[in-house]
Amino acid sequence: MRAVNTSASAGTRAPYQATFEELGTPLRDVTFVVVDLETTGTNAKEGGITEIGAVKVRGGEVLGEFQSLVNPGQPVPAFVARLTGITNAMVATAPDIALVLPSFLEFAHNTVLVAHNAPFDVGFLKAMCSRLDYPWPGFTVVDTVPLARRLVTRDEAPNHKLSTLANLFHATVSPEHRALADARATVDVLHALFDRLAPMGVTHLEDLATAADPVPPEVRRKRHLADGLPDSPGVYLFRGPGDEVLYVGTSVNIRKRVRSYFTAAEKRRRITEMVRIAERVTPVACATPLEAQVRELRLITEHAPRYNRRSKFPERHSWVRLTDEAYPRLSVVSGVVAGAAHIGPFGSRRTAQEAVHALHDALNLRQCTARIPLVSKRPGSPCALAGMGRCSAPCVATEGPDTSYADVAEAARDALTGDPAPVVRALSDRIAALAHQERYEEAGEVTRRLRAFVHGAHRAQRIGPLAGCAELVAARPSGIGDAPGKPGGWEIVVIKHGRLAGTDVSVPGASPLPLVDALRTTAEHVEPPVAPAPAAHPEETDLLLAWLDSPGVRLVHVSDTWACPVRAAGAHADLTWASERVRVEIGEGAETDVGSGAGAGSGADAVPGAGAGSRAHADLAAGAGEPADAAAPVPEPANGRHVDTMTAC
């Protein structure tokens, strides 16, 4: 059983001594087969092998050698004969590759292949296996050329040819373009390179995969920070000299992900700087990837690490609210209040202001900030917007309430909380007109405003219902989607008011219902928020909605109604309708940006769909068997308005 707890103490752990198995295989215990080939040319598909030479070594000791001339089945070119000394007469009576290759594969069985310019030699070996219908054994391959480029400077050697390196490292055998001699020289070069790699912390086989990366030595030396980390989903925290949190990340395999920070795979300059400062890494193992993502988000919010760029300041999210006064107006606010119509949250105040401009473009809402009484004793002075027909000017009403403005405010409220189609239609008409007049910059600005409004309304209509749900329990078969593990169990998730309150994975083959009861009992207590704001970071609620929308999710328990309008902002999230409207106006072949990048998954404020994979909890009672495909029933219309499950959101 697990209840989510991400306090500062969650990342602490007792001292841990890593085992040798976790560190990897020491190079002294690895059996290498250093191989070299002589061929009739450079094309592996068309050429043939004339000689194979190999040396088996472990811990600096030669265990055996393999050498054989090979009949390539084709003439040896004259320039190859001059280079290698292998003539047609020498290979005429040599065995065919069909006889030599099985012997070599047996010689190299369960070893690591090494070659100088390995793609050439391994390429020919693979081509021969394919030609003879032999499966390629899948050797781990080490190439001494990139290692030499990493370790040998131009001041030491003019190039990285085998003969040059053999001379530099005083190899006991000089390469002479004969397979066995070249393989023996490569053995000496390999051991010399290992001597240079050891001070850099490359002492295990697993380290060789990235040893040729152009990684600063001070970064590579910190590879030991990944030792002892778990191979499981979770969160990792890089900590500095004062134990301060520098960076928080998440992965389905903590150890593998942390190791990548010390290789050339990490290209971010700021993160490389962070690794130089880091003193240790603290893991927080999680039951599921979803829990890891949520923990990461919460720990970033708690510690505000200087090397994390996202999600550090949830208080900076903005909402657009319709004010509660006699003549309502739109306002960009940092929080929500009960009873008011809101859309958002937006990732920035600028994006929220774009949504406000969209509504002002479509509706004659007042834009002044003064509080206007229901009935003024003396008429006000109408503003320029009223003269342009873009404001109904309730400030000039003196004989009674301006009832026409009430209709405008109600239209705005419906667009914010229900169907935004009138706003989308009005703005798409304007975009089409501007495009027809070739005023493309203005059309792009209106498109940007429309996109901000639709995404803000869509997000509020998705987050709000989940935020108002006191408890939702869902399950998904483990081992599918992004969840690692053996199929058969169930991921159980408890959500309260849009916040992850508990999660765990049931034992494969056992009924998950006892775990469901235990999780509900031990889940975190969550105070109800003011909807549509959730009781968590908005991005956490987005993660939960995305998980609920993943394939195989089954609803187990819902305490409150979880639904949203069928005719909601999600129907317009990709702005396809507006794009079609513009194409009609300016011609079928015209290009516009109305629909481009406007899908629900694009932009900082876009969120994925939710609930399409949700199903009735009856499937869960069957235990670890195959989930049924029966969809949950659609609720009856409520208050004269059709509602649907979260599929419509």
Side-chain angles (χ1 to χ4, degrees):
M1 298 176 291
R2 300 177 64 93
V4 176
N5 175 16
T6 54
S7 62
S9 62
T12 61
R13 63 187 177 109
Y16 178 80
Q17 176 63 50
T19 65
F20 288 110
E21 288 74 15
E22 290 174 317
L23 294 175
T25 307
L27 292 176
R28 64 177 179 272
D29 296 334
V30 179
T31 302
F32 297 97
V33 166
V34 182
V35 63
D36 186 81
L37 305 181
E38 301 302 333
T39 64
T40 59
T42 58
N43 191 323
K45 292 184 178 180
E46 298 177 359
I49 297 174
T50 59
E51 187 177 31
I52 298 179
V55 181
K56 183 182 294 186
V57 294
R58 182 174 65 235
E61 180 184 354
V62 175
L63 304 180
E65 294 183 338
F66 180 97
Q67 189 275 334
S68 177
L69 288 170
V70 181
N71 187 335
Q74 57 185 274
V76 178
F79 76 92
V80 173
R82 287 194 300 271
L83 179 67
T84 65
I86 300 175
T87 64
N88 286 314
M90 293 173 61
V91 298
T93 58
D96 189 77
I97 187 64
L99 299 176
V100 179
L101 185 61
S103 299
F104 170 75
L105 294 178
E106 179 64 27
F107 178 78
H109 182 64
N110 283 341
T111 65
V112 175
L113 283 188
V114 181
H116 196 73
N117 189 20
F120 175 84
D121 299 279
V122 174
F124 265 90
L125 290 173
K126 285 184 176 180
M128 294 303 111
C129 285
S130 176
R131 192 177 301 175
L132 299 173
D133 291 330
Y134 290 161
W136 176 248
F139 294 106
T140 299
V141 178
V142 175
D143 190 351
T144 53
V145 171
L147 288 177
R149 288 173 180 164
R150 175 74 179 89
L151 300 168
V152 178
T153 66
R154 290 290 183 181
D155 295 334
E156 295 179 282
N159 55 59
H160 300 100
K161 295 180 179 179
L162 180 59
S163 57
T164 304
L165 296 174
N167 182 61
L168 173 67
F169 294 130
H170 306 290
T172 56
V173 178
S174 297
E176 53 186 25
H177 293 293
R178 290 299 300 267
L180 185 57
D182 288 5
R184 289 170 175 168
T186 305
V187 170
D188 292 338
V189 170
L190 177 69
H191 289 156
L193 294 176
F194 283 173
D195 289 340
R196 295 194 174 194
L197 287 170
M200 301 171 60
V202 180
T203 57
H204 293 73
L205 176 62
E206 290 74 14
D207 301 333
L208 284 179
T210 56
D213 295 339
V215 180
E218 64 272 21
V219 173
R220 184 178 296 281
R221 279 195 294 267
K222 293 197 173 183
R223 290 173 63 93
H224 69 277
L225 296 181
D227 297 341
L229 298 180
D231 294 307
S232 62
V235 181
Y236 51 90
L237 297 85
F238 279 88
R239 295 182 179 271
D243 210 38
E244 71 277 18
V245 177
L246 302 174
Y247 182 81
V248 178
T250 183
S251 176
V252 296
N253 187 314
I254 297 177
R255 180 170 174 267
K256 183 177 180 181
R257 180 68 183 97
V258 172
R259 285 177 65 92
S260 71
Y261 284 88
F262 312 107
T263 70
E266 181 51 68
K267 310 249 182 228
R268 294 170 292 178
R269 184 176 301 175
R270 293 175 69 257
I271 299 302
T272 301
E273 176 186 318
M274 180 273 298
V275 172
R276 285 191 173 100
I277 302 172
E279 294 291 332
R280 67 188 185 96
V281 179
T282 303
V284 181
C286 300
T288 63
L290 175 64
E291 181 187 355
Q293 292 173 334
V294 170
R295 283 183 181 273
E296 176 196 29
L297 194 61
R298 294 185 189 178
L299 288 169
I300 290 174
T301 303
E302 178 183 352
H303 296 285
R306 53 177 155 160
Y307 289 98
N308 282 97
R309 294 192 176 211
R310 60 178 287 270
S311 313
K312 287 193 285 188
F313 306 106
E315 66 276 4
R316 295 182 183 176
H317 283 80
S318 298
W319 298 78
V320 173
R321 176 199 301 164
L322 189 65
T323 60
D324 184 16
E325 51 186 314
Y327 299 104
R329 60 185 176 84
L330 295 173
S331 178
V332 177
V333 295
S334 58
V336 301
V337 296
H342 298 78
I343 61 172
F346 297 89
S348 67
R349 190 175 183 85
R350 180 190 60 79
T351 309
Q353 198 62 53
E354 294 278 2
V356 170
H357 290 324
L359 285 161
H360 285 159
D361 288 344
L363 302 171
N364 291 333
L365 284 167
R366 70 184 184 95
Q367 300 183 32
C368 55
T369 58
R371 182 169 287 275
I372 303 175
L374 189 61
V375 179
S376 300
K377 294 182 178 179
R378 56 182 180 180
S381 176
C383 60
L385 291 174
M388 297 167 58
R390 297 184 59 186
C391 178
S392 56
C395 56
V396 301
T398 56
E399 298 181 358
D402 187 348
T403 56
S404 63
Y405 192 85
D407 295 335
V408 175
E410 185 61 28
R413 188 173 289 104
D414 286 344
L416 292 172
T417 61
D419 186 3
V423 174
V424 175
R425 187 177 299 110
L427 291 186
S428 62
D429 287 345
R430 186 179 177 195
I431 293 167
L434 291 171
H436 185 73
Q437 298 168 23
E438 298 185 0
R439 295 160 63 184
Y440 298 118
E441 290 187 5
E442 294 179 62
E445 182 179 355
V446 177
T447 300
R448 187 172 61 253
R449 294 176 177 181
L450 175 58
R451 184 178 297 126
F453 161 67
V454 170
H455 288 165
H458 178 48
R459 196 176 191 192
Q461 291 171 356
R462 284 165 38 80
I463 289 178
L466 194 60
C469 186
E471 183 182 67
L472 183 149
V473 183
R476 182 179 73 172
S478 63
I480 66 171
D482 59 355
K486 190 180 294 184
W490 289 83
E491 292 179 62
I492 312 296
V493 169
V494 180
I495 301 171
K496 294 185 178 182
H497 297 296
R499 179 182 177 88
L500 181 63
T503 182
D504 205 349
V505 180
S506 68
V507 177
S511 172
L513 296 181
L515 177 59
V516 171
D517 295 336
L519 275 178
R520 293 183 62 189
T521 302
T522 59
E524 176 187 0
H525 174 71
V526 179
E527 291 292 336
V530 178
H537 194 300
E539 291 187 25
E540 176 177 333
T541 308
D542 290 339
L543 290 172
L544 299 177
L545 286 167
W547 186 90
L548 289 168
D549 190 41
S550 62
V553 170
R554 302 291 184 264
L555 293 181
V556 181
H557 170 75
V558 181
S559 61
D560 303 276
T561 301
W562 181 40
C564 66
V566 170
R567 296 180 180 87
H572 306 276
D574 60 356
L575 299 188
T576 302
W577 191 93
S579 181
E580 289 297 325
R581 176 72 179 85
V582 172
R583 274 195 285 270
V584 170
E585 284 292 327
I586 64 176
E588 268 318 303
E591 294 184 2
T592 73
D593 70 340
V594 175
S596 62
S602 63
D605 299 312
V607 290
S614 300
R615 297 293 183 264
H617 73 273
D619 300 316
L620 197 63
E626 195 67 20
D629 291 325
V634 178
E636 293 295 324
N639 299 326
R641 192 169 196 170
H642 287 282
V643 296
D644 199 350
T645 60
M646 289 303 288
T647 303
C649 297

